[in-house]
Amino acid sequence: MTASPARPPVAARRPTPLPDGWTTAGAGVGLGSTLVGQFVETPWRSGSDAWGTDFHGNGGWGGLVLLVAFVAVAALVAGFVAVRARTAPPARTARVALVLAALGAVSVLVFWTGVPAVLAGAATGLALDARRRLGRLPAAAAAGLTLAVLTVAAAVWLAFTG
């Protein structure tokens, strides 16, 4: 008598391309920056000493949906890239971190989308992952980490003053 298994064999699961913690943090900073940049009147931008908001005059619901969509799409794409890069050797992960940080720095030209902080968050996560796996911080990861920090600083500064 042969017995057939009651349960099918367990298939290997591939990781889902969901954003990691660093990419999610970058998305949070990016969304916050883009909302401040679009809807908040800061003293540095308006020239007055008061803070204010202008939701309807600055795009309203349509603008809000567009900005959230930019950040969400960037987080999903960066999350997918980060998941794939983590399966590569650590040296390659460090290079991908540098590339994402460079793309984030270039995307400061469109800082109002929130994309720079998302890419910088993904680059930070990959640089730290390469450090964890190698036991040291490779030059590419160090450069990517530095560029990511500068990118986030520039994006936040532009959100409040731009």
Coordinates of all heavy atoms in Angstrom, one line a residue, residues 12-66:
A12 N 9.1 26.7 -3.1 CA 10.0 27.8 -2.6 C 9.3 29.1 -3.0 O 8.8 29.3 -4.1 CB 11.3 27.7 -3.4
R13 N 9.3 30.0 -2.0 CA 8.7 31.3 -2.2 C 9.7 32.4 -2.5 O 10.8 32.4 -1.9 CB 8.0 31.7 -0.9 CG 6.8 30.7 -0.5 CD 6.1 31.2 0.6 NE 5.3 32.4 0.3 CZ 4.6 33.0 1.1 NH1 4.5 32.7 2.3 NH2 3.9 34.1 0.7
R14 N 9.4 33.1 -3.5 CA 10.3 34.2 -3.8 C 9.9 35.4 -3.0 O 8.7 35.6 -2.6 CB 10.1 34.6 -5.3 CG 10.7 33.6 -6.2 CD 11.0 34.1 -7.6 NE 9.7 34.1 -8.3 CZ 9.6 34.8 -9.5 NH1 10.5 35.4 -10.0 NH2 8.4 34.7 -10.1
P15 N 10.9 36.3 -2.6 CA 10.5 37.4 -1.8 C 9.6 38.4 -2.6 O 9.8 38.5 -3.8 CB 11.9 38.1 -1.5 CG 12.8 37.5 -2.5 CD 12.3 36.2 -2.9
T16 N 8.7 39.0 -1.9 CA 7.8 40.0 -2.6 C 8.6 41.3 -2.7 O 9.4 41.7 -1.9 CB 6.6 40.2 -1.8 OG1 6.9 40.6 -0.5 CG2 5.7 38.9 -1.7
P17 N 8.3 42.0 -3.8 CA 9.1 43.2 -4.0 C 8.5 44.4 -3.2 O 8.3 45.5 -3.8 CB 8.9 43.4 -5.5 CG 7.6 42.8 -5.9 CD 7.5 41.6 -4.9
L18 N 8.2 44.2 -2.0 CA 7.7 45.2 -1.1 C 8.9 46.1 -0.6 O 9.9 45.5 -0.4 CB 6.9 44.7 0.1 CG 5.6 43.9 -0.3 CD1 5.0 43.3 0.9 CD2 4.7 44.8 -1.0
P19 N 8.6 47.3 -0.4 CA 9.7 48.2 0.1 C 10.2 47.7 1.5 O 9.4 47.3 2.3 CB 9.1 49.6 0.1 CG 7.9 49.5 -0.8 CD 7.4 48.1 -0.7
D20 N 11.5 47.8 1.7 CA 12.1 47.5 3.0 C 11.9 48.7 3.9 O 11.3 49.7 3.5 CB 13.5 47.1 2.9 CG 14.4 48.2 2.4 OD1 13.9 49.1 1.6 OD2 15.6 48.3 2.7
G21 N 12.4 48.6 5.1 CA 12.2 49.7 6.1 C 12.9 51.0 5.7 O 12.3 52.0 5.9
W22 N 14.1 50.9 5.1 CA 14.7 52.1 4.7 C 14.0 52.8 3.5 O 13.9 54.0 3.4 CB 16.2 51.8 4.3 CG 17.0 51.6 5.5 CD1 17.4 50.4 6.0 CD2 17.6 52.6 6.4 NE1 18.2 50.6 7.1 CE2 18.3 51.9 7.4 CE3 17.5 54.0 6.4 CZ2 18.9 52.6 8.4 CZ3 18.1 54.7 7.4 CH2 18.8 54.0 8.4
T23 N 13.5 52.0 2.6 CA 12.8 52.6 1.4 C 11.5 53.2 1.9 O 11.1 54.2 1.5 CB 12.5 51.5 0.4 OG1 13.8 50.9 0.0 CG2 11.9 52.1 -0.9
T24 N 10.8 52.5 2.9 CA 9.6 53.0 3.4 C 9.8 54.3 4.2 O 9.0 55.2 4.1 CB 8.9 52.0 4.4 OG1 8.8 50.7 3.6 CG2 7.6 52.4 4.9
A25 N 10.9 54.4 4.9 CA 11.3 55.6 5.6 C 11.5 56.7 4.6 O 11.1 57.9 4.8 CB 12.5 55.4 6.5
G26 N 12.2 56.4 3.5 CA 12.5 57.4 2.5 C 11.2 57.9 1.9 O 11.0 59.0 1.6
A27 N 10.2 56.9 1.7 CA 8.9 57.3 1.2 C 8.2 58.2 2.1 O 7.5 59.2 1.7 CB 8.1 56.1 0.9
G28 N 8.3 58.0 3.4 CA 7.7 58.8 4.4 C 8.2 60.2 4.4 O 7.5 61.2 4.4
V29 N 9.6 60.3 4.3 CA 10.2 61.6 4.2 C 9.9 62.3 2.9 O 9.6 63.5 2.9 CB 11.7 61.5 4.4 CG1 12.4 62.8 4.1 CG2 12.1 61.0 5.8
G30 N 9.9 61.5 1.9 CA 9.5 62.1 0.6 C 8.1 62.6 0.5 O 7.8 63.7 0.0
L31 N 7.2 61.8 1.1 CA 5.8 62.3 1.1 C 5.6 63.5 1.9 O 4.9 64.5 1.5 CB 4.9 61.1 1.5 CG 3.4 61.4 1.5 CD1 2.9 61.7 0.1 CD2 2.6 60.3 2.1
G32 N 6.2 63.5 3.1 CA 6.1 64.7 4.0 C 6.7 65.9 3.3 O 6.1 67.0 3.4
S33 N 7.8 65.7 2.7 CA 8.5 66.9 2.0 C 7.6 67.4 0.8 O 7.5 68.6 0.7 CB 9.9 66.5 1.5 OG 10.7 66.2 2.5
T34 N 7.1 66.5 0.1 CA 6.3 66.9 -1.1 C 5.0 67.6 -0.6 O 4.5 68.6 -1.2 CB 6.1 65.8 -2.1 OG1 5.6 66.3 -3.3 CG2 5.1 64.8 -1.5
L35 N 4.4 67.1 0.5 CA 3.2 67.8 1.0 C 3.5 69.1 1.5 O 2.7 70.1 1.3 CB 2.5 66.9 2.0 CG 1.9 65.6 1.5 CD1 1.3 64.7 2.6 CD2 0.9 65.8 0.4
V36 N 4.6 69.3 2.3 CA 5.0 70.6 2.8 C 5.3 71.5 1.6 O 4.9 72.7 1.6 CB 6.2 70.5 3.7 CG1 6.9 71.8 3.9 CG2 5.8 69.8 5.0
G37 N 6.0 71.0 0.6 CA 6.4 71.8 -0.5 C 5.2 72.3 -1.3 O 5.2 73.4 -1.9
Q38 N 4.2 71.5 -1.4 CA 3.0 71.8 -2.2 C 1.9 72.6 -1.4 O 1.4 73.6 -2.0 CB 2.3 70.5 -2.7 CG 1.2 70.8 -3.7 CD 1.6 71.3 -5.0 OE1 2.7 71.3 -5.4 NE2 0.6 72.0 -5.7
F39 N 1.7 72.2 -0.2 CA 0.5 72.8 0.5 C 0.8 73.7 1.7 O -0.1 74.4 2.2 CB -0.4 71.7 0.9 CG -0.9 70.8 -0.2 CD1 -0.5 69.5 -0.3 CD2 -1.8 71.3 -1.1 CE1 -1.0 68.7 -1.3 CE2 -2.2 70.5 -2.2 CZ -1.8 69.2 -2.3
V40 N 2.0 73.8 2.1 CA 2.3 74.6 3.3 C 3.0 75.9 2.9 O 4.0 75.8 2.1 CB 3.2 73.8 4.3 CG1 3.6 74.7 5.5 CG2 2.4 72.6 4.8
E41 N 2.6 77.0 3.4 CA 3.2 78.3 3.1 C 4.2 78.5 4.3 O 3.8 78.7 5.4 CB 2.2 79.4 3.1 CG 1.2 79.2 2.0 CD 1.8 79.3 0.6 OE1 2.8 80.0 0.4 OE2 1.3 78.6 -0.3
T42 N 5.5 78.4 4.0 CA 6.5 78.6 5.1 C 7.0 80.0 5.1 O 6.9 80.7 4.1 CB 7.7 77.6 4.9 OG1 8.3 78.0 3.7 CG2 7.2 76.2 4.8
P43 N 7.5 80.5 6.3 CA 8.0 81.8 6.3 C 9.2 82.1 5.4 O 9.3 83.2 4.9 CB 8.5 82.0 7.8 CG 7.8 80.9 8.5 CD 7.5 79.8 7.5
W44 N 9.9 81.1 5.1 CA 11.1 81.2 4.2 C 10.6 81.4 2.7 O 11.3 82.1 2.0 CB 12.0 80.0 4.3 CG 12.4 79.8 5.7 CD1 13.4 80.5 6.4 CD2 11.9 78.9 6.6 NE1 13.5 80.0 7.6 CE2 12.6 79.0 7.8 CE3 10.9 77.9 6.5 CZ2 12.3 78.2 8.9 CZ3 10.7 77.1 7.6 CH2 11.4 77.3 8.8
R45 N 9.5 80.8 2.4 CA 9.1 80.9 1.0 C 8.2 82.1 0.8 O 8.3 82.8 -0.2 CB 8.3 79.6 0.6 CG 8.0 79.6 -0.9 CD 7.4 78.3 -1.3 NE 7.7 77.2 -0.4 CZ 6.9 76.2 -0.1 NH1 5.7 76.2 -0.7 NH2 7.2 75.2 0.7
S46 N 7.3 82.4 1.7 CA 6.3 83.4 1.4 C 6.9 84.8 1.8 O 6.3 85.8 1.5 CB 5.0 83.1 2.2 OG 5.3 83.1 3.6
G47 N 7.9 84.9 2.6 CA 8.5 86.1 3.0 C 7.9 86.7 4.2 O 8.3 87.8 4.7
S48 N 6.9 86.1 4.8 CA 6.2 86.6 6.0 C 6.7 85.8 7.2 O 7.5 84.8 7.0 CB 4.7 86.5 5.9 OG 4.3 85.1 5.9
D49 N 6.3 86.2 8.3 CA 6.6 85.4 9.6 C 5.6 84.4 9.9 O 5.8 83.8 11.0 CB 6.8 86.4 10.7 CG 8.0 87.4 10.5 OD1 8.9 87.0 9.8 OD2 7.9 88.5 11.0
A50 N 4.7 84.1 9.1 CA 3.6 83.2 9.5 C 3.6 81.9 8.7 O 4.1 81.9 7.5 CB 2.2 83.9 9.3
W51 N 3.2 80.9 9.3 CA 3.0 79.6 8.6 C 1.5 79.5 8.1 O 0.6 80.1 8.8 CB 3.2 78.4 9.5 CG 4.7 78.2 9.8 CD1 5.4 79.0 10.6 CD2 5.5 77.2 9.3 NE1 6.7 78.5 10.7 CE2 6.8 77.4 9.9 CE3 5.3 76.2 8.5 CZ2 7.9 76.6 9.6 CZ3 6.4 75.3 8.2 CH2 7.7 75.5 8.8
G52 N 1.2 78.8 7.1 CA -0.1 78.7 6.6 C -0.3 77.5 5.6 O 0.7 76.9 5.2
T53 N -1.5 77.2 5.3 CA -1.7 76.2 4.3 C -2.7 76.7 3.3 O -3.5 77.6 3.5 CB -2.4 74.9 5.0 OG1 -3.6 75.3 5.6 CG2 -1.4 74.3 6.0
D54 N -2.5 76.2 2.1 CA -3.4 76.5 1.0 C -3.6 75.3 0.2 O -2.9 75.0 -0.8 CB -2.8 77.6 0.1 CG -3.8 78.1 -1.0 OD1 -4.9 77.7 -0.9 OD2 -3.3 78.8 -1.8
F55 N -4.6 74.5 0.6 CA -4.9 73.2 0.0 C -5.5 73.4 -1.4 O -5.0 72.8 -2.4 CB -5.8 72.4 0.9 CG -6.0 71.0 0.3 CD1 -5.1 70.0 0.3 CD2 -7.3 70.6 -0.2 CE1 -5.3 68.8 -0.2 CE2 -7.5 69.4 -0.7 CZ -6.5 68.4 -0.7
H56 N -6.6 74.1 -1.5 CA -7.3 74.3 -2.8 C -6.6 75.1 -3.8 O -6.7 74.8 -5.0 CB -8.7 74.8 -2.5 CG -9.5 73.9 -1.7 ND1 -10.0 72.7 -2.1 CD2 -10.0 73.9 -0.4 CE1 -10.7 72.0 -1.2 NE2 -10.7 72.8 -0.1
G57 N -5.8 76.1 -3.4 CA -5.1 76.9 -4.3 C -3.9 76.3 -4.9 O -3.3 76.8 -5.9
N58 N -3.4 75.2 -4.3 CA -2.2 74.6 -4.7 C -2.4 73.2 -5.3 O -1.6 72.3 -5.2 CB -1.2 74.5 -3.6 CG -0.6 75.8 -3.2 OD1 -0.5 76.7 -4.1 ND2 -0.3 76.0 -2.0
G59 N -3.6 73.0 -5.9 CA -3.8 71.7 -6.6 C -5.0 70.9 -6.0 O -5.5 70.0 -6.7
G60 N -5.3 71.1 -4.7 CA -6.4 70.4 -4.1 C -6.2 68.9 -4.1 O -5.1 68.3 -4.0
W61 N -7.3 68.2 -4.3 CA -7.3 66.7 -4.2 C -6.6 66.1 -5.4 O -5.9 65.1 -5.3 CB -8.8 66.2 -4.2 CG -9.4 66.4 -2.9 CD1 -10.4 67.3 -2.6 CD2 -9.1 65.8 -1.6 NE1 -10.7 67.3 -1.3 CE2 -10.0 66.4 -0.7 CE3 -8.2 64.8 -1.2 CZ2 -9.9 66.0 0.7 CZ3 -8.2 64.4 0.1 CH2 -9.1 65.0 1.0
G62 N -6.7 66.7 -6.5 CA -5.9 66.2 -7.7 C -4.4 66.3 -7.5 O -3.7 65.3 -7.8
G63 N -4.0 67.4 -6.9 CA -2.5 67.5 -6.6 C -2.1 66.5 -5.6 O -1.0 65.9 -5.7
L64 N -2.9 66.3 -4.6 CA -2.6 65.4 -3.5 C -2.5 63.9 -4.1 O -1.6 63.2 -3.8 CB -3.7 65.4 -2.4 CG -3.5 64.5 -1.2 CD1 -2.2 64.7 -0.5 CD2 -4.7 64.5 -0.3
V65 N -3.5 63.5 -4.9 CA -3.5 62.2 -5.5 C -2.2 62.0 -6.3 O -1.6 61.0 -6.3 CB -4.7 61.9 -6.3 CG1 -4.6 60.7 -7.1 CG2 -5.9 61.8 -5.3
L66 N -1.9 63.0 -7.1 CA -0.7 62.9 -8.0 C 0.6 62.8 -7.2 O 1.4 61.9 -7.5 CB -0.6 64.1 -8.9 CG 0.5 64.2 -9.9 CD1 0.3 63.0 -10.9 CD2 0.5 65.5 -10.6

